[in-house]
Amino acid sequence: MLYALGRWCFRMRRRVVLVWFGILVLLGGLAGLLHTGFNEEFEIPGTPSQVALDQLYMTFPEVAGTRATMVIVPPEGTTVDSPGFRALVENELDRLDDLEVVDTVASPYDDLIDGLINDDRSAALVNLTLTVDPVEVTDEELQPLLDIADKIEADLPAGSQVAMGGDAFAVEIPGLSITEVFGVIVALIVLLVTLGSAIAAGMPIVTALWGVGASSLLMLAATGVMTISSTTPILSVMLGLAVGIDYALFILTRHREQLGEGLDAEESAARSLATAGSAIVFAGITCIIALVGLAVARIPFLTVMGVFAAIGVGLAVLIAMTILPAFMGFAGERLRPRARKTRAQKSRGRRAEDEPSEMPQRAEPKRAGRGFLGTWVHWAITWPWLTVIVIVVALGALSVPGKDLQLSLPNPGQNSIGSPERETYDLTAEKFGPGYNGPLIVTAEIIQSTDPLGLMDDLKREVESVPGVKLVALATPNPNADTGFIQVIPETAPDDPATTELVEHIRELQPRWEEQYGVPTAVTGMTAVQIDISTRLAQALLPFGIFVVGLSLVLLTMVFRSIAIPIKTALGYLLSVGSAFGATVIVFHHGIGMQVINLEQPQAVVSFYPILLMGILFGLAMDYEVFLVARMREEYMHGADAESAIRLGFVGSGKVVIATASIMVAVFAFFVPEGMGAIKAIAFGLAIGVTVDAFIVRMTLVPAVMKLLGDKAWWIPKWLDERLPTFDVEGDAMTRMVNLQDWGSGRAVRVEGFAPHTPASGNLCAPIDLDVPHGDVLVVQSDRRRRLPLLYALAGRLRGTVGTAKVLGRLLPEQSAQVRRQVALIDGSTAEDLRADLERALRRHTPMIVIDAADALPTADDRDALADLLAGRLGDDEQPTVVLGVADLDVVEPLITTTYHTIELLSDHHRAAELVTAGGQ
């Protein structure tokens, strides 16, 4: 199918490009109509904190709304209680009350609220509750708050400082910068070096950008019907660029190789898709499954990220399969590399001129050269045990810090230094303590209490006694006295592990409080919600890890027909993931080398970083494994010994693996310096993970392990081999079709050693040989159990076969679908109107008709219809080939008026095919 697709796109190149251009225009129109913007709604329905927060919105909306915080610092040497300063502040607060976006204003001088003025009276907090949803608030709605803060600072005594921030300003929307363009430039340079042609090098860039454009427009349109975070499009662009360039490069490399061997441009494009394209489709499907598999975490925003990343990968595959061969058609002969003579060829040419001889050159065995790649693999496998030990120990050591990975959702403390929200966050932490940036809320259902105020005082004392609590700022019932609200200020920052421990400790005390006071309580607030999300994401790592590792074992067993290779691949993947986690801890948590990636201070990484990196890196690791090991298997299956297969496969595929990995690393790495929020850590982890996986694990560790395994690397139990489905990622089917394209031409049926086959029963009849010209009659005689599988196989309805077979010029089983469309299959024993069935097939110009139970036709009219078919009296077109399945040849022989072929299938063998005249001779 890919072969036919490549040829069609090559020929219909203008139509293909116009269709894809139309798709872009359509998606652009939908995006313009439906786009409503991205938001940062990080929530998981059903978590304890989210349930409590939703309840608080209904029962006590005054304290559950979106919060903003203003920090006021008087001039040095004065306090917030200085004469005149308090009055100025209280007057200025009236401006905030007048803003439409503000619901309530809590003055720092309110005697009912503790903690809004710090201990040395050098700073005050103003808490604001806004009327807008935190995930839907816009910069335009928040700007008046920033303007008011600037005016208040100007009106206060010189030297005063006023900063506006809080939850409403928590999210820093990531975007693209000019830095990311340098990644594309590096990719272009790698393409030029790899492909040796400016035209060829430009094609992967164009196709990748086309795919990124389509996926981005689709995402913009989707914002009108679903919630999509601002991280999702950046992630999709980053991944789409990387895989889009790599997939196109892999196909173009094969195309250029074939053109260099003298193949016609159109034929080369078709074969490139059928061979390299098969590996791309497998790699893409694997990556898509892993990304969609993020849904196993049951976290809505993460599922959306995975789905749209998968759509980006899917579009990259589709465009590589369609637009790329169309571009090949436009370029034509301009992609053909110039012929070069190797040093050996030049030497042989000089010797031939000096010493002419008619002796034929003896074919030399195929062997790997000792260039850069030959030297690489030579050193990797010369001392395989040393290679394995050094790499496993080194990567294991790098992975150890990964156990201390700190996770959190984005908060203003991770935003850029100098931004208003970061300034407020830092000033709050400096003047009041880090816990003020992440207050917790404890709610209580107090509807049964007869003394709500006294109950809230008791609960306040309980909470204040919990280790890790700095103070309780407010403890009050709502106006209906059915819900209690306790605002808790921790001693530690919102992304500090100690704050998570505090939340867990309070939850451990809840059963005792309920027993003692008779009221259920809950911990909520944005900090608690974020902690619950981070916990749920961390808990999802193990099931997702089992999913991706199990998936790799199953898929690679089907691809490589091996037990050892999938296990080795899965273990290598775990080393790559562990190394990426370890490097992230070293740089992001310990700050070692953080200046290199433009990280301002050590910080936690976004909570979905581990699971997202595992999913993406899994897909990319499978790409490199398939590209490299498939070539080794190809050499091994073609007769090379185990070590030679490693060397030849490595040299044959190493160049493209180095190029694709270098492009991946460049694209990811240039998203790191200016990456904001989650993108910086994700891009860094992917750059490290791809570097380790491609260059250390796949290109160094894998050859060494393969050398140690020897022939055992390709062992698989026979029973498992027969039952597993087959993925032809190496294009073996296409190679077989090309090699047999002239075999059996001009014949309706040509088979050698052919038999239907199932894993459970083996061959369903003895292998047969047949040669039936177009328009002839073939009679298969046997009992129904034995003949029916053969008839189904010849009709393209049964893919399980052995031997070599062509029906109507189509190779079985590779082209079973095409055979099935050209062959009519009729059960004579159950046909209600055989003549109508035959006439219908002839009207469709069906070139071959298979009729089973031709000796058991139920009516005389059916026998007459069969006789008319065999005599050529049913249609005016060319006589079709007819295959009859019978138990008794004598019943149908009188109906056959021409020479026919017959074969009898017996219990464990068959009677050789015979050509029989109309008279039975």
Side-chain angles (χ1 to χ4, degrees):
M1 185 174 69
L2 292 179
Y3 179 87
L5 177 64
R7 187 178 290 277
W8 186 87
C9 292
F10 188 98
R11 291 177 178 176
M12 304 296 176
R13 45 191 173 271
R14 290 180 177 82
R15 187 179 302 177
V16 170
V17 171
L18 285 174
V19 167
W20 273 105
F21 183 76
I23 291 173
L24 275 182
V25 172
L26 176 62
L27 290 174
L30 290 174
L33 290 172
L34 302 176
H35 174 51
T36 58
F38 302 101
N39 65 47
E40 306 305 310
E41 188 174 358
F42 295 118
E43 66 174 41
I44 304 177
T47 58
S49 58
Q50 188 64 51
V51 171
L53 188 61
D54 293 340
Q55 182 69 25
L56 192 63
Y57 272 116
M58 292 186 290
T59 61
F60 207 166
E62 296 87 351
V63 296
T66 305
R67 301 176 66 82
T69 301
M70 186 169 68
V71 184
I72 301 175
V73 179
E76 187 174 354
T78 63
T79 69
V80 294
D81 300 317
S82 297
F85 188 85
R86 173 172 177 169
L88 284 172
V89 170
E90 289 181 324
N91 289 335
E92 295 292 347
L93 294 184
D94 293 337
R95 294 187 183 184
L96 292 170
D97 252 334
D98 295 337
L99 292 177
E100 184 177 349
V101 72
V102 175
D103 185 20
T104 63
V105 178
S107 169
Y109 303 108
D110 190 331
D111 294 334
L112 298 178
I113 305 175
D114 295 331
L116 295 185
I117 299 176
N118 65 351
D119 294 338
D120 62 3
R121 318 295 287 182
S122 65
L125 293 177
V126 179
N127 286 335
L128 311 175
T129 303
L130 307 184
T131 59
V132 293
D133 189 281
V135 299
E136 296 177 357
V137 63
T138 64
D139 291 341
E140 290 75 15
E141 291 171 319
L142 294 177
Q143 188 59 45
L145 292 174
L146 298 175
D147 294 340
I148 288 289
D150 291 340
K151 291 177 182 178
I152 292 175
E153 184 177 70
D155 292 343
L156 291 176
S160 298
Q161 187 176 0
V162 176
M164 180 70 74
D167 293 342
F169 298 85
V171 178
E172 187 175 41
I173 304 298
L176 296 174
S177 68
I178 191 64
T179 305
E180 286 80 27
V181 176
F182 289 106
V184 178
I185 294 174
V186 172
L188 182 59
I189 294 171
V190 174
L191 290 169
L192 280 169
V193 173
T194 304
L195 296 172
S197 164
I199 296 175
M203 288 183 183
I205 301 293
V206 174
T207 55
L209 291 174
W210 204 312
V212 166
S215 62
S216 298
L217 290 173
L218 179 63
M219 204 177 312
L220 286 172
T223 59
V225 295
M226 66 175 64
T227 299
I228 301 177
S229 77
S230 59
T231 303
T232 305
I234 305 299
L235 178 67
S236 181
V237 168
M238 182 170 63
L239 188 58
L241 272 177
V243 300
I245 293 173
D246 278 10
Y247 290 169
L249 171 60
F250 194 59
I251 295 173
L252 269 175
T253 300
R254 183 64 62 93
H255 181 55
R256 292 262 295 171
E257 287 176 359
Q258 292 171 166
L259 289 177
E261 295 168 359
L263 204 61
D264 172 72
E266 181 178 324
E267 178 67 17
S268 176
R271 292 192 190 183
S272 297
L273 242 67
T275 52
S278 297
I280 293 304
V281 170
F282 173 79
I285 290 174
T286 303
C287 194
I288 289 169
I289 292 174
L291 290 169
V292 174
L294 291 170
V296 302
R298 296 179 292 113
I299 298 173
F301 69 83
L302 184 64
T303 299
V304 171
M305 282 186 186
V307 167
F308 279 101
I311 289 173
V313 173
L315 285 171
V317 174
L318 286 175
I319 287 174
M321 297 291 109
T322 52
I323 294 183
L324 188 60
F327 284 175
M328 292 176 184
F330 284 117
E333 291 296 317
R334 286 176 291 175
L335 290 179
R336 192 179 299 277
R338 295 177 182 177
R340 298 181 187 177
K341 283 189 175 182
T342 65
R343 184 178 300 175
Q345 288 173 328
K346 293 176 181 178
S347 177
R348 285 197 298 268
R350 286 194 297 268
R351 288 199 304 269
E353 291 174 3
D354 296 339
E355 303 175 14
S357 171
E358 296 182 3
M359 289 289 293
Q361 295 288 331
R362 187 175 67 180
E364 296 181 1
K366 190 176 180 183
R367 55 181 181 152
R370 287 301 297 271
F372 172 71
L373 291 173
T375 302
W376 185 327
V377 70
H378 172 76
W379 283 103
I381 68 175
T382 298
W383 299 283
W385 275 114
L386 179 62
T387 302
V388 170
I389 292 172
V390 169
I391 290 177
V392 170
V393 170
L395 296 185
L398 180 58
S399 302
V400 169
K403 64 182 176 57
D404 299 321
L405 196 64
Q406 298 174 20
L407 306 176
S408 75
L409 286 178
N411 63 64
Q414 299 171 355
N415 291 359
S416 303
I417 291 178
S419 62
E421 59 274 15
R422 176 64 181 274
E423 183 180 348
T424 305
Y425 186 95
D426 291 342
L427 193 58
T428 301
E430 176 190 347
K431 295 294 185 179
F432 292 87
Y436 274 80
N437 285 309
L440 300 172
I441 296 173
V442 176
T443 64
E445 298 179 16
I446 60 174
I447 192 170
Q448 302 294 333
S449 174
T450 57
D451 182 15
L453 292 176
L455 175 60
M456 294 308 301
D457 288 339
D458 291 339
L459 289 175
K460 177 181 179 181
R461 284 191 293 272
E462 290 280 3
V463 174
E464 286 176 330
S465 66
V466 177
V469 172
K470 184 179 180 68
L471 63 89
V472 172
L474 179 65
T476 182
N478 68 339
N480 292 333
D482 58 16
T483 301
F485 172 87
I486 303 173
Q487 187 180 54
V488 183
I489 306 298
E491 293 180 347
T492 50
D495 56 359
D496 193 309
T499 305
T500 302
E501 294 175 3
L502 173 60
V503 170
E504 294 172 351
H505 191 182
I506 293 177
R507 285 174 174 164
E508 290 171 357
L509 294 172
Q510 288 173 355
R512 182 176 67 80
W513 292 347
E514 183 171 4
E515 181 180 353
Q516 182 174 350
Y517 299 105
V519 294
T521 57
V523 184
T524 185
M526 294 305 299
T527 300
V529 168
Q530 293 182 350
I531 288 172
D532 282 351
I533 292 174
S534 298
T535 301
R536 174 72 68 85
L537 284 163
Q539 291 171 346
L541 282 178
L542 181 58
F544 183 72
I546 293 173
F547 168 76
V548 294
V549 171
L551 179 66
S552 69
L553 292 174
V554 173
L555 291 177
L556 293 176
T557 301
M558 290 189 286
V559 169
F560 294 121
R561 324 308 284 184
S562 165
I563 297 296
I565 289 177
I567 295 174
K568 173 263 303 175
T569 303
L571 294 176
Y573 161 73
L574 294 177
L575 283 175
S576 301
V577 169
S579 299
F581 288 171
T584 301
V585 170
I586 291 171
V587 176
F588 280 78
H589 299 349
H590 301 318
I592 300 174
M594 66 181 186
Q595 297 82 3
V596 177
I597 64 169
N598 195 29
L599 184 66
E600 295 166 338
Q601 65 180 15
Q603 62 185 36
V605 295
V606 70
S607 302
F608 50 81
Y609 163 82
I611 194 169
L612 200 61
L613 182 131
M614 287 174 65
I616 296 174
L617 193 57
F618 169 77
L620 303 182
M622 295 305 102
D623 290 356
Y624 303 130
E625 182 74 12
V626 169
F627 295 166
L628 192 66
V629 180
R631 194 66 173 261
M632 295 179 184
R633 182 175 185 271
E634 181 181 348
E635 298 293 346
Y636 185 80
M637 299 305 291
H638 290 170
D641 61 76
E643 182 174 336
S644 297
I646 296 169
R647 294 179 183 271
L648 291 167
F650 188 94
V651 172
S653 59
K655 180 180 178 182
V656 72
V657 171
I658 289 175
T660 54
S662 299
I663 290 170
M664 285 269 187
V665 172
V667 170
F668 293 146
F670 279 96
F671 271 84
V672 175
E674 299 300 324
M676 293 184 290
I679 293 299
K680 182 183 288 288
I682 292 171
F684 174 83
L686 288 174
I688 295 296
V690 170
T691 300
V692 170
D693 193 82
F695 298 112
I696 300 177
V697 173
R698 306 301 159 195
M699 295 193 66
T700 309
L701 181 62
V702 164
V705 173
M706 298 283 283
K707 172 66 181 299
L708 292 173
L709 291 172
D711 292 324
K712 296 182 181 66
W714 309 107
W715 176 83
I716 185 173
K718 186 177 180 181
W719 63 268
L720 181 59
D721 185 30
E722 292 180 336
R723 285 166 174 77
L724 283 174
T726 300
F727 285 103
D728 183 19
V729 299
E730 300 146 19
D732 286 342
M734 193 283 303
T735 302
R736 186 166 177 260
M737 288 165 56
V738 170
N739 293 338
L740 295 172
Q741 60 184 348
D742 296 327
W743 181 83
S745 59
R747 320 302 278 180
V749 178
R750 175 75 186 277
V751 301
E752 290 183 1
F754 180 76
H757 179 92
T758 66
S761 304
N763 291 350
L764 302 181
C765 71
I768 63 172
D769 299 335
L770 289 172
D771 189 351
V772 181
H774 289 286
D776 277 16
V777 177
L778 168 65
V779 181
V780 178
Q781 182 179 5
S782 180
D783 61 83
R784 184 179 176 86
R785 179 180 61 83
R786 196 168 288 110
R787 73 172 185 265
L788 200 59
L790 178 61
L791 296 179
Y792 269 68
L794 293 177
R797 269 74 170 180
L798 181 67
R799 288 188 59 85
T801 60
V802 295
T804 306
K806 264 192 177 181
V807 174
L808 302 175
R810 306 290 186 179
L811 192 64
L812 296 177
E814 289 82 0
Q815 295 177 292
S816 295
Q818 293 94 315
V819 172
R820 186 163 55 249
R821 288 193 293 268
Q822 291 184 289
V823 177
L825 178 62
I826 300 171
D827 187 343
S829 64
T830 60
E832 296 181 359
D833 188 344
L834 182 61
R835 183 177 297 275
D837 292 341
L838 295 175
E839 289 176 346
R840 187 181 305 111
L842 292 173
R843 283 196 302 272
R844 295 173 180 171
H845 308 289
T846 303
M848 182 166 146
I849 300 174
V850 177
I851 305 173
D852 186 41
D855 56 338
L857 299 176
T859 67
D861 288 342
D862 290 337
R863 288 177 56 82
D864 292 342
L866 178 58
D868 289 344
L869 172 69
L870 298 175
R873 295 190 293 267
L874 276 186
D876 299 329
D877 294 336
E878 183 178 348
Q879 177 70 5
T881 302
V882 179
V883 180
L884 303 177
V886 301
D888 187 354
L889 175 61
D890 294 338
V891 176
V892 298
E893 191 171 38
L895 305 178
I896 305 174
T897 59
T898 62
T899 300
Y900 65 93
H901 306 258
T902 179
I903 186 168
E904 183 177 5
L905 306 178
L906 302 175
S907 59
D908 56 355
H909 64 285
H910 64 83
R911 188 167 294 159
E914 298 176 345
L915 181 63
V916 184
T917 65
Q921 301 297 317

